[in-house]
Amino acid sequence: MSRPLLFLDVDGPLNPYAAQPERRPHGYTTIRVPRSSTATETHQGLRGPRPLRVWLNPDHGRALLQLDYELCWATTWMDRANHWISPVLGLPELPFVDFGDALLRERPDGVHWKTGPLVEYADGRPFAWVDDEQSDLDEEYATSHHRGPGLLHHVNPRIGLREDDFRALADFARTADE
């Protein structure tokens, strides 16, 4: 059987954007991305001369590759994550979920706009999703609409992925096919 999917969000889990702006977390490096390079920025019309500051920890790439998952971007960056994020983390080019018309579109039921497309993309395959925006409504949606195991793993956007998060992901991968 194939390995479970690991849906990766950038902003929050990999880029602790909510950390104190004047204090880059230990082990992280800074990249500056033109605002027109991210789908979120383009969609919200936030283009401008000031680039987006992104903090990334190069050690995360190695840790992600050691997990027993097929990695997949699940971010507003979509394919741009392969250009801006993958090289810093030492990741190969990864598939990505193209959110299409669902991108940033609020749902009347309160479920996050990513949840439906991610469940559809997984198509019954076990998956874990790391993000900083899931809620109980997303958990309920995934449970009722996905026929395989799923883990919605919340990451604090002030601190990003930590060792405990990698352990939880590894534990889920080991038990996903039981």
Side-chain angles (χ1 to χ4, degrees):
M1 179 152 214
S2 61
R3 298 182 303 166
L5 289 164
L6 177 54
F7 291 125
L8 295 167
D9 182 32
V10 171
D11 296 314
L14 296 172
N15 170 29
Y17 68 89
Q20 292 180 343
E22 68 281 349
R23 186 175 295 164
R24 180 177 64 203
H26 178 72
Y28 282 73
T29 189
T30 303
I31 64 170
R32 303 282 180 188
V33 179
R35 288 194 180 266
S36 61
S37 292
T38 67
T40 302
E41 303 296 332
T42 301
H43 180 79
Q44 295 176 345
L46 297 176
R47 296 179 192 183
R50 194 164 171 222
L52 181 66
R53 183 227 354 117
V54 179
W55 286 330
L56 297 169
N57 185 334
D59 292 340
H60 284 165
R62 189 171 30 262
L64 288 166
L65 291 171
Q66 290 175 350
L67 294 171
D68 194 17
Y69 284 93
E70 180 182 316
L71 305 178
C72 181
W73 294 119
T75 174
T76 57
W77 293 70
M78 291 191 279
D79 62 331
R80 292 174 186 97
N82 284 315
H83 176 77
W84 292 102
I85 309 303
S86 288
V88 177
L89 299 181
L91 295 174
E93 186 169 320
L94 300 178
F96 65 94
V97 177
D98 184 343
F99 292 106
D101 291 341
L103 182 68
L104 301 171
R105 181 167 288 156
E106 282 192 44
R107 294 174 47 129
D109 60 2
V111 171
H112 194 281
W113 58 267
K114 287 183 185 178
T115 307
L118 294 180
V119 167
E120 184 178 322
Y121 189 99
D123 193 25
R125 187 172 169 188
F127 75 88
W129 170 26
V130 293
D131 207 311
D132 62 314
E133 297 182 345
Q134 306 113 326
S135 72
D136 290 341
L137 293 172
D138 301 300
E139 188 75 47
E140 291 169 17
Y141 182 94
T143 300
S144 64
H145 290 83
H146 183 65
R147 58 188 184 277
L151 171 67
L152 278 63
H153 186 77
H154 184 270
V155 176
N156 183 329
R158 287 189 300 271
I159 60 174
L161 285 169
R162 297 290 178 110
E163 193 62 39
D164 287 348
D165 299 306
F166 287 104
R167 268 195 298 279
L169 292 168
D171 290 347
F172 177 79
R174 275 193 295 280
T175 62
D177 287 326
E178 291 180 354

